[in-house]
Amino acid sequence: MGLITGVCTFLYHLPQIYKWLLKPYYITSVLMTVAFLVVRKAPGLCEHLATQREDGNSCDFDWRELEILMFLSAIVMMKNRRAITLEQHIGNLFLFSKVANVILFFRLDIRLGILYLALCVAFVMTCKPPLYMGPEYIKYFSDKTIDEELQKDSRVTWIVEFYANWSSDCQSFAPVFANLSLTYNCAGLRFGKVDIGRYGEVSQRYRVSTSPLAKQLPTLVLFQGGREIMRRPMVDNKGRAVSWTFNEENIIREFNLNELFQKSKKLNKTRGSKGEEQNGFQPEDGSDELYPETDDTEPTESKKDQ
């Protein structure tokens, strides 16, 4: 049953996986993940490698290499228990596979280990994970616009994500937050983002640490009337974030999005009623016509500019 579920999940995400494979970041990551396997199994090359197998077969894994690979599998499974998106699952696999490959190459030949480590450093410096560029209803703030937007209309509730482009957790969370904005955005409930890796003053003003040790990225804050109502993750006395899983179910439940959305839709109807009164139009008695919801989304700064 588990195998069937895995196959179905793979087939469901196959179009998305195909798109990933066309991007340089994922192509390079796949090649570096299977590098040791290729070197150990390649005919004409594996015969010249050292081995600790009793039969002297240098084209197969020895017991220590199998032990390292089994330990890698266990670590990836543990880390993926908290993964939210498919990107996080794949990212954990790539990360720990590279770590295991470094250990395996150094154990095999120090020259191969140094070469592979240099390739990993060059990869980290030159190849960045592709940013999410899908549909969304999100307003991108700068250090000069965030306060003005949050305080402009006291009737509007804002959910703001504080993020940094270099954070892998923020990159993985981007499609989740975008999907929430597509589902719940309306005139009275808006979604915004601010890059505190770029705007350090905003980080200090809203007390969101960018330190990797604090683990506060990403941070979601609910604002009403320009005042902070709640945030996730919460922060303890030592300035460290309390462990919290950023998935749609937790966000909808903790921020009570369904109730907020129902209340915020009334603002659309109020605005529609005022507009009709100004135009001299009055709905007929007994009419069941509903006012259409307006998106009311302002032009946002391009994500490429971020």
Side-chain angles (χ1 to χ4, degrees), residues 81-199:
R81 290 174 60 186
R82 297 188 59 188
I84 305 170
T85 62
L86 188 60
E87 289 90 341
Q88 282 184 303
H89 287 278
I90 300 298
N92 287 334
L93 177 61
F94 286 158
L95 173 61
F96 291 101
S97 295
K98 293 186 183 82
V99 174
N101 278 334
V102 169
I103 299 173
L104 291 169
F105 274 119
F106 267 105
R107 184 177 174 275
L108 181 63
D109 190 322
I110 190 172
R111 293 170 297 181
L112 293 177
I114 293 174
L115 175 61
Y116 185 82
L117 183 60
L119 291 175
C120 289
V121 173
F123 173 79
V124 171
M125 296 179 63
T126 57
C127 292
K128 301 297 181 182
L131 298 177
Y132 175 79
M133 298 298 291
E136 60 184 20
Y137 287 139
I138 296 176
K139 172 77 174 180
Y140 284 82
F141 299 128
S142 68
D143 55 343
K144 298 179 181 179
T145 62
I146 181 169
D147 294 334
E148 178 184 354
E149 289 292 337
L150 294 179
Q151 299 173 8
K152 180 185 296 184
D153 191 340
S154 61
R155 300 172 298 175
V156 176
T157 298
W158 283 93
I159 297 179
V160 180
E161 177 194 351
F162 295 82
Y163 75 102
N165 277 329
W166 51 261
S167 171
S168 59
D169 291 335
C170 295
Q171 294 168 2
S172 300
F173 180 63
V176 177
F177 194 62
N179 186 55
L180 288 172
S181 71
L182 294 173
T183 305
Y184 291 99
N185 181 79
C186 61
L189 180 60
R190 305 286 299 279
F191 292 78
K193 296 179 71 170
V194 57
D195 184 358
I196 57 176
R198 180 181 180 184
Y199 304 111

Side-chain angles (χ1 to χ4, degrees), residues 280-297:
F281 173 78
Q282 295 293 335
E284 297 180 359
D285 293 339
S287 174
D288 293 332
E289 181 180 1
L290 297 177
Y291 298 110
E293 294 185 10
T294 58
D295 179 65
D296 206 20
T297 303

Side-chain angles (χ1 to χ4, degrees), residues 30-42 45-46 49-50 58-62 64-66 68-69 97-98 100-109 112-113 116:
V30 170
L31 294 177
M32 296 189 68
T33 297
V34 300
F36 184 81
L37 175 63
V38 171
V39 170
R40 177 58 87 181
K41 294 292 186 178
L45 178 61
C46 62
L49 301 177
S58 60
C59 292
D60 203 356
F61 299 116
D62 59 39
R64 180 64 70 180
E65 292 169 348
L66 290 175
I68 294 173
L69 292 175
S97 295
K98 293 186 183 82
N101 278 334
V102 169
I103 299 173
L104 291 169
F105 274 119
F106 267 105
R107 184 177 174 275
L108 181 63
D109 190 322
L112 293 177
Y116 185 82

